[in-house]
């Protein structure tokens, strides 16, 4: 049972003390931040001596399967916590400044705590949601249609509509293409273009494939680039295995271990040996063509065999064209 400075009581579980903020969990599961100086003096001392809950970080995090509403509520809670911390510091600074003003014979200004921003208007929302989801601002007709809509759930409907649009697929592809460094011509992969990879990624986005599945397909891709576009991720840096691994760890694990190419990582547990061991998993990644890929025979040999016949046909065509021109124009054509 916790008691605040005004004698009000609340039953809650202690989560942890972070600076000047006490986190307690209410009976309904909500983790609530409370400024330490708002507690009774005795409870302040207790909060300073209690160890944090074993799962304190998990209790304050958003579950991986949280709904959009739960995630939004958590963001609002974190913003509110930040405002509370900021207001405490600003209030202390204001008191010091007020004392200085009084000594100087100045009138101290009243303290104005910072509060959350008001909810955005429909005009602000429609512009921002188009930029966020579709990567562009709405045109006049789209804007007016939204503003004239009086439905209570019109914002949710617009979001759903944009998520189903080609604009979302294009905007999301641009984001992923930059993050994954997608390009048309693959380094070190002679005669292999990135077109299948590009199209595969666009198709994955359109069918709303999960990010975990997209990553799994790219890392474990097998087959030819033109048959399985997911192979384009590893072929993107064909011939540069160490760079590819460093980028992979940065993009998917959020950590920079590129220095482990030359020496043990100075600030992490990564060693140079471990880096090269992991790179070896992708050491045989390449795209090559063999006779088994051509059930009707090697096309190169076939082209060589057909070359004389093709040349004779070309010469005949040019001769026939010259004769036709000479007849039609009444002049002699010389090749």
């Amino acid at each position: 049972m916790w008691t605040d400075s005004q004698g009000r009581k609340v039953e809650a579980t202690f989560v942890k003390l972070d600076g000047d903020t006490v986190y307690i969990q209410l009976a309904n599961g909500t983790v609530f931040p409370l400024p330490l100086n708002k507690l009774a003096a005795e409870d302040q001392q207790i909060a300073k001596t209690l160890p944090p809950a074993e799962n304190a970080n998990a209790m304050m995090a958003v579950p991986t399967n949280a709904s959009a509403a739960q995630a939004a509520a958590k963001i609002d809670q974190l913003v509110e916590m930040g405002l509370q911390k900021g207001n405490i510091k600003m209030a202390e600074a204001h008191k010091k400044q007020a004392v200085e003003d009084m000594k100087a014979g100045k009138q101290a200004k009243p303290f104005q705590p910072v509060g959350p921003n008001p909810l955005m208007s429909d005009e602000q929302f429609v512009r921002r949601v188009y930029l966020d989801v579709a990567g562009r601002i709405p045109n006049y007709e789209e804007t007016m249609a939204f503003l004239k809509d009086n439905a209570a759930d019109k914002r949710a409907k617009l979001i759903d509509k944009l998520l189903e649009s080609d604009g979302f697929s294009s905007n999301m592809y641009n984001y992923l293409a930059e993050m994954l460094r997608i390009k048309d011509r693959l380094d070190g992969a002679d005669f292999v273009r990135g077109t299948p990879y590009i199209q595969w990624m666009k198709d994955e986005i359109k069918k709303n494939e999960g990010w975990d599945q997209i990553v799994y397909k790219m890392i474990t891709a097998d087959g030819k680039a033109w048959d399985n576009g997911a192979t384009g991720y590893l072929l993107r840096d064909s011939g540069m295995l160490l760079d590819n691994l460093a980028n992979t760890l940065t993009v998917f694990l959020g950590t920079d271990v590129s220095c482990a190419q030359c020496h043990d990582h100075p600030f992490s547990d990564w060693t140079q040996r471990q880096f090269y061991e992991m790179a070896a998993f992708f050491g045989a990644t390449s795209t090559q063509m063999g006779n088994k890929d051509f059930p009707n025979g090697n096309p190169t040999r076939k082209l060589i065999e057909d070359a004389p016949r093709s040349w004779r046909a070309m010469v005949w065509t040019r001769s026939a064209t010259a004769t036709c021109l000479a007849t039609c124009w009444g002049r002699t054509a010389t090749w």
Side-chain angles (χ1 to χ4, degrees), residues 181-199:
R181 301 158 43 252
I182 296 177
K183 64 178 185 178
D184 180 58
R185 185 172 293 280
L186 305 179
D187 292 336
D190 294 336
F191 309 113
V192 178
R193 303 300 295 265
T195 306
Y197 179 31
I198 294 172
Q199 188 59 50

Side-chain angles (χ1 to χ4, degrees), residues 16-29:
K16 72 173 185 178
L17 175 64
D18 184 9
D20 297 326
T21 303
V22 178
Y23 296 94
I24 55 177
Q25 186 177 41
L26 306 180
N28 62 3

Side-chain angles (χ1 to χ4, degrees), residues 21-223:
T21 303
V22 178
Y23 296 94
I24 55 177
Q25 186 177 41
L26 306 180
N28 62 3
T30 302
V31 176
F32 183 78
L34 185 66
L36 182 63
N37 59 6
K38 295 295 184 181
L39 291 175
E42 182 180 356
D43 283 6
Q44 289 186 35
Q45 295 301 319
I46 293 176
K48 292 178 180 179
T49 58
L50 287 175
E54 182 177 355
N55 58 340
N57 292 331
M59 293 169 66
M60 298 177 62
V62 178
T64 55
N65 60 345
S67 65
Q70 289 174 316
K74 185 63 180 181
I75 294 174
D76 291 340
Q77 182 188 31
L78 293 174
V79 171
E80 182 66 27
M81 289 164 46
L83 290 175
Q84 289 181 8
K85 287 184 178 180
N87 282 328
I88 292 174
K89 293 180 179 179
M90 288 189 294
E92 294 175 351
H94 180 268
K95 289 180 181 178
K96 294 180 180 179
Q97 185 62 45
V99 173
E100 296 294 330
D101 290 343
M102 291 179 63
K103 291 180 179 179
K106 299 179 181 179
Q107 180 67 34
K109 297 179 180 180
F111 174 67
Q112 296 290 339
V114 178
N117 292 331
L119 294 177
M120 71 178 73
S121 64
D122 281 347
E123 289 82 1
Q124 293 171 323
F125 176 83
V126 69
R127 177 182 175 85
R128 293 180 185 179
V129 75
Y130 266 89
L131 284 170
D132 288 342
V133 180
R136 63 177 179 87
I137 61 175
N139 60 36
Y140 177 79
E141 289 76 14
E142 292 167 335
T143 301
M144 296 309 299
F146 176 78
L147 296 179
K148 292 179 179 179
D149 189 352
N150 295 321
D153 60 345
K154 66 177 184 179
R155 294 191 177 189
K157 288 182 177 179
L158 179 57
I159 293 173
D160 291 338
K161 177 182 176 181
L162 291 176
L163 289 175
E164 295 294 330
S165 69
D166 291 336
F168 167 73
S169 299
S170 176
N171 190 39
M172 180 57 67
Y173 169 76
N174 290 337
Y175 171 78
L176 294 178
E178 182 176 2
M179 182 178 71
L180 299 175
R181 301 158 43 252
I182 296 177
K183 64 178 185 178
D184 180 58
R185 185 172 293 280
L186 305 179
D187 292 336
D190 294 336
F191 309 113
V192 178
R193 303 300 295 265
T195 306
Y197 179 31
I198 294 172
Q199 188 59 50
W200 174 82
M201 181 60 70
K202 290 180 178 179
D203 293 339
E204 293 294 293
I205 295 172
K206 286 184 178 181
K207 67 181 183 181
N208 198 28
E209 183 66 279
W211 177 238
D212 58 335
Q213 292 300 313
I214 292 177
V215 174
Y216 179 83
K217 291 177 183 178
M218 291 190 295
I219 297 298
T220 63
D222 192 14

